[in-house]
Amino acid sequence: APGVSGSGSSGAAGLPGGTVHLNSATLDELDTLPGVGPITAQKILDYRAANGAFRSVDELDAVPGIGPMRLEELRPLVDL
């Protein structure tokens, strides 16, 4: 019905499951996260390639361009 939506426009509307899996996400999937554009998404992929799988969501803080505030914003939207 018109006017009825699941979660409205959350900024992560392109995520059917609600979370992005850091260890398997593609650049396009990472790019759907709020505050993560294609450049930061590539940095996440580069970090994963250089360091192996993320062991915790907190490890995102080590990716250039993602600081503590962005990490807190992303925490509910990502998992491993």
Side-chain angles (χ1 to χ4, degrees):
V4 176
S5 71
S7 62
S9 61
S10 64
L15 308 175
T19 59
V20 169
H21 299 280
L22 292 175
N23 290 328
S24 62
T26 64
L27 188 138
D28 288 339
E29 289 168 335
L30 293 167
D31 190 20
T32 65
L33 293 166
V36 176
I39 293 171
T40 302
Q42 185 59 56
K43 289 179 183 178
I44 293 170
L45 295 178
D46 292 346
Y47 181 89
R48 192 171 73 197
N51 299 284
F54 284 90
R55 291 178 294 283
S56 76
V57 172
D58 291 337
E59 207 174 333
L60 264 181
D61 190 35
V63 176
I66 297 180
M69 290 177 62
R70 177 71 25 88
L71 175 61
E72 290 309 312
E73 184 181 358
L74 295 175
R75 188 180 302 279
L77 303 174
V78 298
D79 62 28
L80 305 178

